Amino acid sequence: VQKLDSMAILYPNIITPKWSIGTSHEGRNLWVVKISDNPNQNENEPQAFFDGLIHAREPQSMATIMYFMYYLLENYGTDPEVTYLVNNREIYFLPVNNPDGYEYNKQTDPNGGGDWRKNRRNNSGSYGVDLNRNFGYMWGYDNVGSSSTPSSETYRGPSAFSEPEAFYFRDFVNSKNIKTHINYHSYNNSVIYPW
């Protein structure tokens, strides 16, 4: 959060101040920023969206997004490719999509290495929903790739978009005209993008 605030202070002409698209189960904000040459205006430019840390044990996905943001901010006006992208795109970033799980890992493993994956929904005997399995498209299809068992690492939740982190994410995307979306995962070193 401090890094996002610092970016807005250092580069106010190309990044918005952070704003919340909603809150998590435990009331933590889901912070988003936009990088563009006129960041506080809506322009008729292609939109891109980057998000990370949907799984709490993947802080490197957040770091990757933050480093990319710094790369754009620090090289704007000197690197032709960066300058072109910032001038001709509206680029949105949600570095932490699972703040509760991230904070839980920080509390249980303050020196790093926390292995909690899901959010912190109380399932009456277990905790958490795998937010990456809570989206609506083919939710719960044939029990392949997700689980209906609350204690499972891949528990998809009681219904599609049951989790605030997922439905605020959906509502944000639906309010935009995003042309591509990149979702970083670091546990298995993958980058998930639209087909």
Side-chain angles (χ1 to χ4, degrees), residues 81-149:
E81 187 173 15
V82 168
T83 303
Y84 176 83
L85 287 173
V86 172
N87 285 346
N88 294 283
R89 300 289 183 273
E90 291 187 331
I91 310 170
Y92 294 92
F93 298 90
L94 172 64
V96 179
N97 199 18
N98 185 355
D100 297 346
Y102 181 55
E103 184 60 32
Y104 179 76
N105 276 334
K106 286 173 50 183
Q107 291 171 6
T108 60
D109 294 84
N111 295 319
D115 202 32
W116 186 260
R117 170 185 168 107
K118 303 183 288 183
N119 73 356
R120 294 298 296 163
R121 173 191 185 83
N122 185 339
N123 297 318
S124 299
S126 67
Y127 280 88
V129 168
D130 182 344
L131 297 173
N132 206 39
R133 308 295 191 273
N134 192 240
F135 295 108
Y137 180 72
M138 297 184 75
W139 180 86
Y141 176 75
D142 204 18
N143 287 321
V144 174
S146 69
S147 174
S148 60
T149 304

Side-chain angles (χ1 to χ4, degrees), residues 1-193:
V1 172
Q2 291 171 343
K3 295 288 186 189
L4 295 178
D5 289 340
S6 173
M7 289 176 182
I9 291 169
L10 294 172
Y11 305 97
N13 295 328
I14 57 172
I15 187 171
T16 62
K18 70 183 186 309
W19 78 91
S20 177
I21 61 169
T23 55
S24 65
H25 262 289
E26 295 180 346
R28 292 182 178 87
N29 285 300
L30 303 172
W31 296 115
V32 170
V33 297
K34 179 174 79 169
I35 294 178
S36 187
D37 61 337
N38 296 299
N40 296 304
Q41 298 175 17
N42 292 321
E43 299 180 287
N44 189 21
E45 296 175 337
Q47 296 175 343
F49 182 40
F50 294 81
D51 83 275
L53 220 142
I54 195 166
H55 290 142
R57 66 185 179 197
E58 301 181 12
Q60 185 56 49
S61 64
M62 170 190 56
T64 300
I65 289 173
M66 298 294 282
Y67 284 130
F68 179 52
M69 292 170 66
Y70 275 118
Y71 183 80
L72 293 174
L73 296 170
E74 292 170 353
N75 291 286
Y76 179 73
T78 57
D79 180 293
E81 187 173 15
V82 168
T83 303
Y84 176 83
L85 287 173
V86 172
N87 285 346
N88 294 283
R89 300 289 183 273
E90 291 187 331
I91 310 170
Y92 294 92
F93 298 90
L94 172 64
V96 179
N97 199 18
N98 185 355
D100 297 346
Y102 181 55
E103 184 60 32
Y104 179 76
N105 276 334
K106 286 173 50 183
Q107 291 171 6
T108 60
D109 294 84
N111 295 319
D115 202 32
W116 186 260
R117 170 185 168 107
K118 303 183 288 183
N119 73 356
R120 294 298 296 163
R121 173 191 185 83
N122 185 339
N123 297 318
S124 299
S126 67
Y127 280 88
V129 168
D130 182 344
L131 297 173
N132 206 39
R133 308 295 191 273
N134 192 240
F135 295 108
Y137 180 72
M138 297 184 75
W139 180 86
Y141 176 75
D142 204 18
N143 287 321
V144 174
S146 69
S147 174
S148 60
T149 304
S151 60
S152 169
E153 286 279 297
T154 59
Y155 176 51
R156 62 182 170 257
S159 61
F161 296 111
S162 61
E163 306 312 291
E165 301 91 342
F167 69 72
Y168 287 127
F169 182 101
R170 174 201 61 202
D171 291 352
F172 173 74
V173 170
N174 286 341
S175 75
K176 303 297 175 197
N177 188 21
I178 293 169
K179 299 299 182 187
T180 194
H181 170 226
I182 306 297
N183 174 252
Y184 286 101
H185 287 262
S186 56
Y187 191 79
N188 67 348
N189 297 319
S190 62
V191 176
I192 299 174
Y193 54 89

